[in-house]
Amino acid sequence: MSRHAAELNLDNPHDRGNRPSRLPAWAQWAGIALLIAAVVASGIWSGTEHWRRATFSLGVAVMWLGVLRLTCDSKILGVFAVRSVKFDVAFCLVTGGLMTFLAASVDSLGS
């Protein structure tokens, strides 16, 4: 295998035929930083018993992960790149969308 081919080979075996991301590495890392910030915010809201905000922000974070999976290299995403891009994106968007819908649709009961 040539050096060029080795550089194009991404770490996830499901991504062998995929092209590298068009985004620069710093933009990919910034997207991951936003993901981590949303998960941390969700955890803080969960700890302060604001479960609707926590669920909503976690759902948005999971949908954001779907966008990241679509636009970032699996080498940078690491453990967030589980299966093929199509599966990961579909799973993240559906799961995050359901979580967000659940949090937005439940009545706050005056809280």
Side-chain angles (χ1 to χ4, degrees), residues 58-60 62-63 90-104:
L58 189 60
V60 169
V62 171
M63 288 190 298
F91 180 80
C92 288
L93 292 179
V94 169
T95 304
L98 288 173
M99 290 176 69
T100 305
F101 173 75
L102 175 69

Side-chain angles (χ1 to χ4, degrees), residues 6-13 15-16 18-20 73-75:
E7 290 173 359
L8 292 178
N9 189 15
L10 302 174
D11 288 343
N12 187 335
D15 291 347
R16 283 205 174 110
N18 295 356
R19 292 179 159 198
D73 292 326
S74 62
K75 184 175 183 177

Side-chain angles (χ1 to χ4, degrees), residues 11-109:
D11 288 343
N12 187 335
H14 298 283
D15 291 347
R16 283 205 174 110
N18 295 356
R19 292 179 159 198
S21 175
R22 294 180 183 176
L23 294 175
W26 66 266
Q28 295 178 50
W29 285 111
I32 292 173
L34 288 173
L35 173 70
I36 292 170
V39 171
V40 168
S42 175
I44 291 170
W45 281 321
S46 178
T48 59
E49 299 183 10
H50 292 94
W51 68 270
R52 288 180 67 214
R53 290 180 193 169
T55 305
F56 187 84
S57 65
L58 189 60
V60 169
V62 171
M63 288 190 298
W64 179 246
L65 177 58
V67 172
L68 289 177
R69 182 67 174 111
L70 193 60
T71 59
C72 295
D73 292 326
S74 62
K75 184 175 183 177
I76 290 180
L77 285 176
V79 298
F80 294 121
V82 180
R83 297 284 180 191
S84 68
V85 173
K86 290 179 184 178
F87 178 84
D88 287 348
V89 169
F91 180 80
C92 288
L93 292 179
V94 169
T95 304
L98 288 173
M99 290 176 69
T100 305
F101 173 75
L102 175 69
S105 66
V106 173
D107 186 24
S108 65
L109 301 174

